């Protein structure tokens, strides 16, 4: 069976995001997948990138440079335990699903902190090995998120794909991960109960054929056409 890591960033299990998570775990498990969930709020995951992420000596104790220090620490096995645990989950996964509510046109800070701390140089990328040559090749990713605004509002003020450029292209594609079409549930808090049920059903249906999907063409044209 395939291995799936779901990185989940919502404070309330009874939320719509919580329902989407529950469906993903149930449906993918039913398919014979091994599903791991990193529930960032429940784990009280530390989003700040600090000196605490390096165990033992610093490469340069005179001036702290997070990128350099984590790269050196990764090479010698000196990253903090919580970071190493998340890296192991990523390493084992065939598919990474990120489930979250959109905050200010972006992912919540706790999820961005996960990206900052877990996807360090040496593990996820090297400056000579990025994008199609990134270190996390042969993995798929999917951003599944909810919005506060309606689809129409996003359409009139600029395509939502612009917001996906830094997340999908700047992080996942940079690390060599292939990107599936995002799954967006627009304004679930502002629609009828019937419409919410339709959204949940659509997610269930998509998950049933997820492994047959082709990744998007991760080019500027996809985002900015």
């Amino acid at each position: 069976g395939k291995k799936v890591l779901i990185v989940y960033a919502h404070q309330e299990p009874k939320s719509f995001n919580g329902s989407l998570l529950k469906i993903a775990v149930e449906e993918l498990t039913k398919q014979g997948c091994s599903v791991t969930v990193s529930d960032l709020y429940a784990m009280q995951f530390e989003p700040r990138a600090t000196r605490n992420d390096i165990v033992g000596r610093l490469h340069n104790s005179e001036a702290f440079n997070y990128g350099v220090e984590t790269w050196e620490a990764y090479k010698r096995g000196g990253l903090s335990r919580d970071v190493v645990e998340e890296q192991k989950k990523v390493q084992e996964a065939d598919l990474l699903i990120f489930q979250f509510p959109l905050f200010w046109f972006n992912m919540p800070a706790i999820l961005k902190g996960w990206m900052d701390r877990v996807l360090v140089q040496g593990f996820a990328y090297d400056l000579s090995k990025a994008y199609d040559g990134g270190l996390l090749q042969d993995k798929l990713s999917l951003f599944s998120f909810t919005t506060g605004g309606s689809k129409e509002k996003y359409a009139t003020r600029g395509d939502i794909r612009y917001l996906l450029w830094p997340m999908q292209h700047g992080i996942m594609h940079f690390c060599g991960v292939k990107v599936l079409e995002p799954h967006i549930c627009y304004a679930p808090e502002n629609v009828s109960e019937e419409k919410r049920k339709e959204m949940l059903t659509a997610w269930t249906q998509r998950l049933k054929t997820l492994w047959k999907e082709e990744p998007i063409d991760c080019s500027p044209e996809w985002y900015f056409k």
Side-chain angles (χ1 to χ4, degrees):
K2 301 274 192 184
K3 292 192 174 180
V4 181
L5 170 62
I6 305 176
V7 186
Y8 170 70
H10 198 289
Q11 310 91 328
E12 175 53 65
K14 290 179 281 191
S15 65
F16 194 80
N17 273 272
S19 298
L20 292 165
L21 170 69
K22 190 165 178 274
I23 285 169
V25 172
E26 286 174 1
E27 179 55 39
L28 292 167
T29 302
K30 213 183 287 180
Q31 293 175 21
C33 299
S34 168
V35 183
T36 302
V37 177
S38 284
D39 184 340
L40 300 184
Y41 284 102
M43 291 158 65
Q44 297 188 316
F45 186 81
E46 170 59 77
R48 294 171 299 175
T50 70
R51 162 75 179 81
N52 295 336
D53 293 348
I54 293 96
V55 177
R57 62 182 173 79
L58 288 177
H59 179 67
N60 178 1
S61 55
E62 299 299 311
F64 183 73
N65 180 314
Y66 187 82
V68 170
E69 292 299 342
T70 50
W71 185 24
E72 294 294 335
Y74 176 75
K75 286 190 282 188
R76 65 176 170 80
L79 288 171
S80 61
R81 185 185 299 172
D82 61 337
V83 171
V84 172
E85 281 175 5
E86 294 306 298
Q87 287 178 340
K88 278 182 188 164
K89 294 176 193 175
V90 171
Q91 198 70 61
E92 289 172 3
D94 298 298
L95 168 65
L96 309 169
I97 296 177
F98 300 99
Q99 182 64 61
F100 60 96
L102 203 65
F103 284 0
W104 289 115
F105 283 17
N106 212 325
M107 62 185 84
I110 199 166
L111 178 53
K112 178 58 167 61
W114 184 94
M115 303 279 185
D116 292 347
R117 296 182 62 223
V118 175
L119 304 178
V120 300
Q121 187 171 352
F123 169 70
Y125 71 94
D126 208 327
L127 294 180
S128 62
K129 295 174 185 153
Y131 295 112
D132 293 338
L135 300 180
L136 298 180
Q137 290 174 56
D138 305 321
K139 296 185 189 299
L140 291 168
S141 63
L142 192 165
F143 285 81
S144 170
F145 59 94
T146 59
T147 69
S150 66
K151 191 171 187 175
E152 293 71 32
K153 277 187 180 163
Y154 278 99
T156 55
R157 294 174 191 170
D159 196 313
I160 198 159
R161 287 186 176 191
Y162 299 168
L163 315 183
L164 292 161
W165 173 257
M167 298 185 216
Q168 294 185 164
H169 179 75
I171 303 175
M172 287 297 109
H173 186 203
F174 188 84
C175 297
V177 181
K178 292 180 177 66
V179 180
L180 295 175
E181 191 84 29
H183 197 86
I184 308 167
C185 291
Y186 289 95
E189 290 182 10
N190 302 326
V191 298
S192 66
E193 186 61 34
E194 187 183 350
K195 185 68 182 160
R196 277 196 290 274
K197 282 178 182 166
E198 283 175 21
M199 288 179 180
L200 296 175
T201 303
W203 179 226
T204 307
Q205 290 307 119
R206 181 173 179 194
L207 289 163
K208 288 182 189 301
T209 57
L210 198 64
W211 300 105
K212 294 176 182 170
E213 289 186 20
E214 286 296 318
I216 65 166
D217 165 32
C218 246
S219 65
E221 289 73 34
W222 189 91
Y223 297 92
F224 305 111
K225 64 186 174 190

